[in-house]
Amino acid sequence: MKKVITYGTFDLLHNGHYNLLQRAKALGDYLIVGVTTEQFDEYRGKVNINDSLMARIENIRQTGFADEIIVEDHMGQKVEDVQKYGIDIFTCGSDWVGEFDFLKPLCEVIYLERTKDVSSTILREKNRKIIKLGIIGSGRIAKRFVPESKSVAGINIEAVYNPNFESAREFGERFELDTYTDDWDLFIKKIDAVYIASPHNTHYEYIKSALNAGKHVLCEKPMVLKKSHAEEVFALAKKQRLVLMEAIKTAYAPGFLKLLSIAKIGSIGKIYDVEACFTKLTNSNTREFKPEENGGSFTELASYPLLAIIKLLGKDYEDLRFDSFTDKNGIDIYTKAHLKYKDSIATIKVGLGVKSEGQLIISGSHGYIIVEAPWWKTESFETRYEDRSKNDKFFIKFRGEGLQYEVNEFVSMINAGNEKNQFKLTAGESITIAGVIESFLDNRTASRD
Ligand code: CTP
């Protein structure tokens, strides 16, 4: 019996796939089709797959060509499968010519002519209206955002707004945007959604204006500085049936999501303690050191540690305490915060003027998880135990600056209407983060009085 194998994502199953599977089957007696998981596609840089793995498998089954369907979830699997299943022929479309020649010592490799003018990418683009995005603010983070968002399909940056026209112009020209303006009404008319990357103090008003104008909002962290403001803007987004997301990139990154799953399945037992540190030595003449812009280590950096803590221990902390070192303007150059829960505790260390190791350590009754610096760009982590032979290491690619993950989530939330659950960072979690930041700012004011 001649065994043939082929692989693909097979998203939005189309004619090209059908033709390929038909010819692949005709090459032998038994056809195995490997279908990729979402995680493997994400790892390969395909971040916008439409159909779920189960739906893609079902579509393949319905073609009637596959004698067996398997799941492809890691690099190197093709070499393993060819040997494991005793494959005679490996085949795929001609867009891959040469790419799989490394299998030639193991089996015959045949590249079949690709069907012209059809692909999942073309279908995805056709199905989806391109979201026109406007950026509010044109500082450092906005500059990093533009190139990263280009790798996400279904969204295009159309305009930038800055009340300072010169800044808008410089940014608009640099990134070749159609519109750069200091005219809010003109800006808002051009777009479907906004990314807010202006100073913290301005977020609240911009979010409300954008939502009231019917635009979806992705807002840089810290989204707002008061719990009541966070509650208000999420309620407004709900009323307007619009997406509102806080841009804490770690929340949307595959490595961090994997870490949460591993922690939550009880691999280290009951979680008693979370320690998260993020320091970034910064020049003292930057915005981060300006009291009038609510600068300081905690407002600038604590969103990341708070994300990890709230994701792992929940929203219902019972007590909160801060210890800071401040500069002459009252800006905290280093803050240590302690959160006490009913049966667990957490510590945050953040510093703009003090350097420390940017680790995340989650301690449990059976072992602990350590995520090496920079943990907020989670790429690998380790579960460690008393019995070291049980230790395990996990690796997950973190692409670029990681902003593409939040953009991709934003696009898929918008496209899903109100169907999709915003579980990666919920409104309640963002509201809790705002509440902690508010407590910190209240505390800082009180200690200054
Ligand atoms: N294929 C083909 N003809 C097409 C499209 C795909 O023969 N018009 C083949 C590919 O060469 C591959 C298999 O179908 O062997 C699965 O490809 P997949 O990557 O899932 O499909 P694409 O449409 O190429 O997807 P995308 O646009 O996301 O890259």
Side-chain angles (χ1 to χ4, degrees), residues 6-11 14-17 19-20 23 44 46 48-49 91-96 112-122 124:
T6 190
Y7 297 85
T9 309
F10 302 105
D11 190 24
H14 54 67
N15 244 343
H17 296 141
N19 294 340
L20 181 106
R23 286 172 295 156
R44 302 191 303 152
K46 270 192 173 183
N48 47 11
I49 306 307
T91 187
C92 67
S94 52
D95 44 327
W96 294 99
L112 294 168
E113 183 73 21
R114 191 178 155 91
T115 308
K116 291 206 167 33
D117 301 327
V118 61
S119 76
S120 304
T121 307
I122 295 173
R124 281 193 292 266

Side-chain angles (χ1 to χ4, degrees), residues 152-170:
V152 180
I155 191 158
N156 190 42
I157 301 174
E158 302 276 327
V160 61
Y161 167 82
N162 195 318
N164 175 338
F165 180 75
E166 265 317 296
S167 301
R169 188 181 61 77
E170 196 237 318

